[in-house]
Structures are given as structure tokens and as C-alpha cells.
Amino acid sequence: MTQPGSSDVDRHWLRAAIELSARCTPSASAFSVGAVLVGDDGEVLTDGYSRELDPADHAEEVALAKIGLPRPAGSAAMTSLAGATLYSSLEPCAGRKSRPSACADLIIASGIGRVVIAWREPPIFVRGGGALRLRASGVIVTTLPELAAAARAVNAHLLRD
Ligand SMILES: [Zn+2]
């Protein structure tokens, strides 16, 4: 029931990522995002949320760093993550101001095969484009627009019209 791939299961884990995003310390200059990495056997491998360990942390970056990803070049290979799915409440970033590596590049370097998101990054702080970059590197990207409103609600303080 909890293996990634079916839409019910994808919704389950994406909801879990959105719930994590609600734990973020709100910021006036960055989105609140949650991320959960699930193996092809349905086990949670790691998770994270924005600013969890440091004020500059992005959710995907924290989640990957907790399990030592991405591995430095030349280090011993770990189990392939080609069958793993990263659930993120927001499209992974393709560029950022605070750190050199965009989350899309960290995901690609980690060998994760699939990313499921609720919401495309609006161009408020940086340009979007993470989904495009992931796809260009062969990562499958699935958007579940039915959960976009829940992901946006956590960021309502940034989205005043
Ligand atoms: Zn990011």
C-alpha cells in the first residue's frame, strides 16, 4: 500500500511532505517546503523541511544530506536510488542565492529516479525550472495538482496578491 507508483500512494507521501512543510519556521524570503524520500519497497529513506538544521536549508537538500547524499565523486557506491521517489511539496529549485548547488542538481547527482511535486515554483525569489532540468537528466517528474492548494496554504504569507 505504501510503495510509490500508484496515484493513491503518491498522494499519501506527498501529503506527508506537505505536513512536514508546516513545521518550517516561516520566512519572508523563502518558501516553506517538505520533502520525503521513499524507496521502491515503500520504506522512508529520509525526510526534511526548509530551515530544519540551518536558516539556509532547503527541504530536499536537508533530506539528502541526512543520508550523506549526494556522495562525493569516487566514494563507494550505495544502493541505487533509481527506484526511489522524492516527494516534495514544491518544485525543486534550479538556482539559489544562498548556496552553490540547486536542489535539482543535488537530486540528479544522487541518482534518484523519480520526483513527485504538488506545485511549480512561482517566480517570486528565483526563476523556476527545476522540473525541466530534472526531466532533461532523465528523472521522471510527476505533478499532483490536486494537492497544490494544500502546499500553497503553508506559504500563504508569501502569496498575498
Ligand atoms: Zn532548493
Coordinates of all heavy atoms in Angstrom, one line a residue, residues 73-128:
A73 N 32.3 12.4 -5.4 CA 32.8 11.6 -6.6 C 33.9 10.6 -6.1 O 34.7 11.0 -5.3 CB 33.3 12.5 -7.6
G74 N 33.8 9.4 -6.5 CA 34.8 8.4 -6.2 C 34.6 7.7 -4.9 O 35.3 6.7 -4.6
S75 N 33.6 8.0 -4.1 CA 33.3 7.3 -2.9 C 32.5 6.0 -3.2 O 31.9 5.9 -4.3 CB 32.5 8.1 -1.9 OG 31.2 8.5 -2.4
A76 N 32.5 5.1 -2.3 CA 31.8 3.8 -2.5 C 30.4 4.0 -2.9 O 29.7 4.8 -2.2 CB 32.0 2.9 -1.3
A77 N 29.9 3.3 -3.8 CA 28.5 3.4 -4.3 C 27.6 2.9 -3.2 O 27.9 1.9 -2.5 CB 28.3 2.6 -5.6
M78 N 26.5 3.5 -2.9 CA 25.5 3.0 -2.1 C 24.4 2.3 -2.9 O 24.5 2.3 -4.2 CB 24.9 4.1 -1.2 CG 24.1 5.1 -1.9 SD 23.4 6.4 -0.9 CE 22.1 5.4 -0.1
T79 N 23.4 1.7 -2.3 CA 22.3 1.1 -3.1 C 21.8 2.2 -4.0 O 21.6 3.3 -3.7 CB 21.2 0.7 -2.1 OG1 21.8 0.0 -1.0 CG2 20.2 -0.2 -2.8
S80 N 21.5 1.7 -5.2 CA 21.0 2.7 -6.2 C 19.6 3.2 -5.8 O 18.8 2.6 -5.2 CB 20.8 1.9 -7.6 OG 20.0 2.7 -8.4
L81 N 19.5 4.5 -6.1 CA 18.2 5.2 -5.8 C 17.4 5.4 -7.0 O 16.4 6.1 -7.0 CB 18.5 6.5 -5.1 CG 19.1 6.5 -3.7 CD1 19.5 7.9 -3.2 CD2 18.2 5.8 -2.8
A82 N 17.7 4.6 -8.1 CA 17.0 4.8 -9.3 C 15.5 4.4 -9.2 O 14.6 5.0 -9.8 CB 17.6 3.9 -10.4
G83 N 15.2 3.5 -8.2 CA 13.8 3.2 -8.0 C 13.1 4.0 -6.9 O 12.0 3.8 -6.5
A84 N 13.9 4.9 -6.3 CA 13.3 5.7 -5.2 C 12.6 6.9 -5.8 O 12.8 7.4 -6.9 CB 14.5 6.2 -4.3
T85 N 11.6 7.4 -5.0 CA 10.9 8.6 -5.3 C 11.0 9.7 -4.3 O 10.9 9.4 -3.1 CB 9.4 8.3 -5.5 OG1 9.2 7.3 -6.5 CG2 8.5 9.5 -5.9
L86 N 11.3 10.9 -4.7 CA 11.4 12.0 -3.8 C 10.1 12.8 -3.9 O 9.8 13.3 -5.0 CB 12.6 12.9 -4.1 CG 12.7 14.1 -3.2 CD1 13.2 13.7 -1.8 CD2 13.7 15.2 -3.8
Y87 N 9.4 12.9 -2.8 CA 8.2 13.7 -2.7 C 8.5 15.1 -2.2 O 9.1 15.2 -1.1 CB 7.1 13.0 -1.9 CG 6.7 11.7 -2.5 CD1 7.4 10.5 -2.2 CD2 5.6 11.7 -3.4 CE1 7.0 9.3 -2.8 CE2 5.2 10.5 -4.0 CZ 5.9 9.3 -3.7 OH 5.5 8.1 -4.3
S88 N 8.2 16.1 -2.9 CA 8.5 17.5 -2.4 C 7.2 18.3 -2.6 O 6.6 18.3 -3.6 CB 9.6 18.1 -3.2 OG 9.9 19.4 -2.7
S89 N 6.9 19.2 -1.6 CA 5.7 20.0 -1.7 C 5.8 21.1 -2.7 O 4.8 21.6 -3.2 CB 5.4 20.5 -0.3 OG 6.4 21.4 0.2
L90 N 7.1 21.4 -3.1 CA 7.3 22.4 -4.1 C 8.3 21.9 -5.1 O 9.2 21.1 -4.8 CB 7.8 23.7 -3.5 CG 8.2 24.9 -4.4 CD1 7.0 25.5 -5.0 CD2 8.9 26.0 -3.5
E91 N 8.2 22.4 -6.3 CA 9.2 22.0 -7.4 C 10.6 22.3 -6.9 O 10.9 23.4 -6.3 CB 8.9 22.9 -8.6 CG 9.9 22.7 -9.7 CD 9.6 23.7 -10.9 OE1 8.8 24.6 -10.7 OE2 10.1 23.5 -12.0
P92 N 11.5 21.3 -7.0 CA 12.9 21.6 -6.5 C 13.5 22.8 -7.3 O 13.2 23.0 -8.5 CB 13.6 20.3 -6.9 CG 12.6 19.2 -6.9 CD 11.4 19.9 -7.4
C93 N 14.4 23.5 -6.6 CA 14.9 24.7 -7.2 C 16.0 24.4 -8.2 O 16.6 23.4 -8.2 CB 15.5 25.7 -6.1 SG 16.9 25.0 -5.3
A94 N 16.1 25.3 -9.2 CA 17.1 25.1 -10.3 C 18.2 26.2 -10.1 O 19.2 26.2 -10.9 CB 16.5 25.2 -11.6
G95 N 18.1 27.0 -9.1 CA 19.1 28.0 -8.8 C 18.8 28.7 -7.5 O 17.6 28.7 -7.1
R96 N 19.8 29.1 -6.8 CA 19.5 29.7 -5.5 C 20.6 30.7 -5.2 O 21.7 30.7 -5.7 CB 19.4 28.7 -4.4 CG 20.6 27.8 -4.3 CD 20.4 26.6 -3.5 NE 20.1 26.9 -2.1 CZ 20.1 26.0 -1.1 NH1 20.3 24.8 -1.4 NH2 19.9 26.4 0.1
K97 N 20.3 31.6 -4.2 CA 21.2 32.7 -3.9 C 22.2 32.2 -2.7 O 23.3 32.7 -2.7 CB 20.5 33.9 -3.4 CG 19.7 34.5 -4.6 CD 18.7 35.5 -4.0 CE 17.7 36.0 -5.1 NZ 16.5 36.6 -4.5
S98 N 21.7 31.4 -1.8 CA 22.4 31.2 -0.6 C 23.5 30.1 -0.6 O 24.4 30.1 0.1 CB 21.4 30.8 0.5 OG 20.6 29.8 0.1
R99 N 23.4 29.1 -1.6 CA 24.3 28.0 -1.6 C 24.6 27.7 -3.1 O 23.8 27.9 -3.9 CB 23.8 26.8 -0.9 CG 23.8 27.1 0.6 CD 23.6 25.8 1.4 NE 23.6 26.1 2.9 CZ 22.9 25.5 3.7 NH1 22.1 24.5 3.4 NH2 22.9 25.8 5.0
P100 N 25.7 27.1 -3.3 CA 26.1 26.8 -4.7 C 25.3 25.8 -5.5 O 25.1 25.9 -6.7 CB 27.6 26.4 -4.7 CG 27.8 26.0 -3.3 CD 26.8 26.7 -2.4
S101 N 24.8 24.8 -4.8 CA 24.1 23.7 -5.5 C 22.6 23.9 -5.4 O 22.0 23.9 -4.3 CB 24.5 22.4 -4.9 OG 25.9 22.1 -5.2
A102 N 21.9 23.9 -6.6 CA 20.5 23.8 -6.6 C 20.0 22.4 -6.3 O 20.7 21.4 -6.5 CB 20.0 24.2 -8.0
C103 N 18.8 22.4 -5.7 CA 18.3 21.1 -5.3 C 18.1 20.1 -6.5 O 18.3 18.9 -6.4 CB 16.9 21.2 -4.5 SG 17.2 22.0 -2.9
A104 N 17.7 20.7 -7.6 CA 17.5 19.8 -8.8 C 18.9 19.1 -9.1 O 18.9 17.9 -9.4 CB 17.1 20.6 -10.0
D105 N 20.0 19.8 -9.0 CA 21.3 19.2 -9.3 C 21.7 18.2 -8.2 O 22.3 17.2 -8.5 CB 22.3 20.3 -9.4 CG 22.1 21.2 -10.6 OD1 21.6 20.7 -11.6 OD2 22.3 22.4 -10.4
L106 N 21.3 18.5 -6.9 CA 21.6 17.5 -5.9 C 20.8 16.2 -6.1 O 21.3 15.1 -5.8 CB 21.2 18.1 -4.5 CG 22.0 19.4 -4.1 CD1 21.4 19.9 -2.8 CD2 23.5 19.0 -3.9
I107 N 19.6 16.3 -6.5 CA 18.7 15.2 -6.8 C 19.3 14.4 -8.0 O 19.4 13.1 -7.9 CB 17.3 15.6 -7.1 CG1 16.6 16.2 -5.9 CG2 16.5 14.5 -7.7 CD1 15.4 17.0 -6.1
I108 N 19.7 15.0 -9.0 CA 20.3 14.4 -10.2 C 21.6 13.6 -9.7 O 21.8 12.5 -10.1 CB 20.6 15.4 -11.3 CG1 19.3 15.9 -11.9 CG2 21.5 14.8 -12.4 CD1 19.4 17.2 -12.7
A109 N 22.4 14.3 -9.0 CA 23.7 13.7 -8.5 C 23.5 12.5 -7.6 O 24.3 11.7 -7.5 CB 24.6 14.8 -7.8
S110 N 22.3 12.5 -6.9 CA 22.1 11.4 -6.0 C 21.5 10.2 -6.7 O 21.4 9.1 -6.1 CB 21.0 11.8 -5.0 OG 21.6 12.9 -4.2
G111 N 21.1 10.3 -8.0 CA 20.7 9.2 -8.8 C 19.2 8.8 -8.5 O 18.8 7.7 -8.9
I112 N 18.5 9.7 -7.9 CA 17.0 9.5 -7.7 C 16.3 9.4 -9.0 O 16.4 10.3 -9.8 CB 16.5 10.6 -6.7 CG1 17.2 10.4 -5.3 CG2 15.0 10.5 -6.6 CD1 17.0 11.6 -4.4
G113 N 15.4 8.4 -9.1 CA 14.8 8.2 -10.4 C 13.5 9.0 -10.7 O 13.1 9.2 -11.8
R114 N 12.9 9.4 -9.6 CA 11.5 10.0 -9.8 C 11.3 11.1 -8.7 O 11.7 10.9 -7.6 CB 10.5 8.9 -9.7 CG 9.1 9.3 -10.0 CD 8.2 8.0 -10.2 NE 6.8 8.4 -10.3 CZ 5.9 8.4 -9.3 NH1 6.3 7.9 -8.2 NH2 4.7 8.8 -9.5
V115 N 10.6 12.1 -9.1 CA 10.3 13.2 -8.2 C 8.8 13.5 -8.4 O 8.3 13.6 -9.5 CB 11.1 14.5 -8.5 CG1 10.6 15.7 -7.7 CG2 12.6 14.2 -8.2
V116 N 8.1 13.6 -7.3 CA 6.6 14.0 -7.3 C 6.4 15.3 -6.5 O 6.9 15.4 -5.4 CB 5.8 12.8 -6.7 CG1 4.3 13.2 -6.7 CG2 6.0 11.5 -7.4
I117 N 5.8 16.2 -7.2 CA 5.6 17.6 -6.6 C 4.2 18.0 -6.6 O 3.4 17.5 -7.4 CB 6.5 18.6 -7.3 CG1 6.1 18.8 -8.8 CG2 8.0 18.3 -7.2 CD1 6.8 19.9 -9.6
A118 N 3.8 18.9 -5.7 CA 2.5 19.4 -5.6 C 2.3 20.7 -6.4 O 1.2 21.0 -6.9 CB 2.1 19.7 -4.2
W119 N 3.4 21.4 -6.7 CA 3.3 22.8 -7.0 C 4.6 23.2 -7.8 O 5.7 22.9 -7.3 CB 3.1 23.5 -5.7 CG 2.9 25.0 -5.8 CD1 2.2 25.7 -6.8 CD2 3.2 25.9 -4.8 NE1 2.1 27.0 -6.4 CE2 2.8 27.2 -5.2 CE3 3.9 25.9 -3.6 CZ2 3.0 28.3 -4.5 CZ3 4.1 27.0 -2.9 CH2 3.6 28.2 -3.3
R120 N 4.4 23.9 -8.9 CA 5.5 24.5 -9.6 C 6.0 25.8 -8.9 O 5.1 26.6 -8.5 CB 5.1 24.8 -11.0 CG 4.9 23.7 -11.9 CD 6.2 23.0 -12.1 NE 6.1 21.9 -13.2 CZ 6.2 22.2 -14.5 NH1 6.5 23.4 -14.9 NH2 6.1 21.2 -15.3
E121 N 7.3 26.0 -8.8 CA 7.8 27.2 -8.1 C 7.4 28.5 -8.8 O 7.7 28.7 -10.0 CB 9.3 27.1 -8.0 CG 9.9 28.3 -7.3 CD 11.3 28.2 -6.9 OE1 12.0 27.3 -7.4 OE2 11.8 29.0 -6.1
P122 N 6.6 29.3 -8.1 CA 6.3 30.6 -8.7 C 7.6 31.5 -8.7 O 8.4 31.4 -7.8 CB 5.2 31.2 -7.8 CG 5.3 30.5 -6.5 CD 6.1 29.2 -6.8
P123 N 7.7 32.4 -9.7 CA 9.0 33.1 -9.8 C 9.0 34.4 -8.9 O 9.2 35.5 -9.3 CB 9.0 33.6 -11.3 CG 7.5 33.6 -11.6 CD 6.8 32.6 -10.8
I124 N 8.9 34.1 -7.6 CA 9.0 35.2 -6.6 C 10.4 35.5 -6.2 O 10.8 36.7 -6.2 CB 8.1 34.8 -5.4 CG1 6.6 34.6 -5.8 CG2 8.2 35.9 -4.3 CD1 5.7 34.2 -4.6
F125 N 11.2 34.5 -5.8 CA 12.5 34.7 -5.3 C 13.6 34.4 -6.4 O 14.6 35.1 -6.5 CB 12.8 33.8 -4.1 CG 11.7 34.1 -3.0 CD1 10.9 33.1 -2.6 CD2 11.6 35.4 -2.5 CE1 10.0 33.4 -1.6 CE2 10.7 35.6 -1.5 CZ 9.8 34.6 -1.0
V126 N 13.4 33.3 -7.1 CA 14.3 32.9 -8.2 C 13.4 32.3 -9.3 O 12.3 32.0 -9.0 CB 15.4 31.9 -7.7 CG1 16.3 32.4 -6.7 CG2 14.7 30.6 -7.2
R127 N 14.0 32.2 -10.5 CA 13.3 31.6 -11.5 C 13.1 30.1 -11.2 O 13.9 29.5 -10.6 CB 14.0 31.7 -12.9 CG 13.7 33.0 -13.5 CD 14.2 33.1 -14.9 NE 15.6 32.4 -15.0 CZ 16.0 31.8 -16.0 NH1 15.3 31.6 -17.1 NH2 17.2 31.3 -16.0
G128 N 11.9 29.5 -11.7 CA 11.7 28.1 -11.5 C 12.6 27.3 -12.5 O 13.7 27.7 -12.8

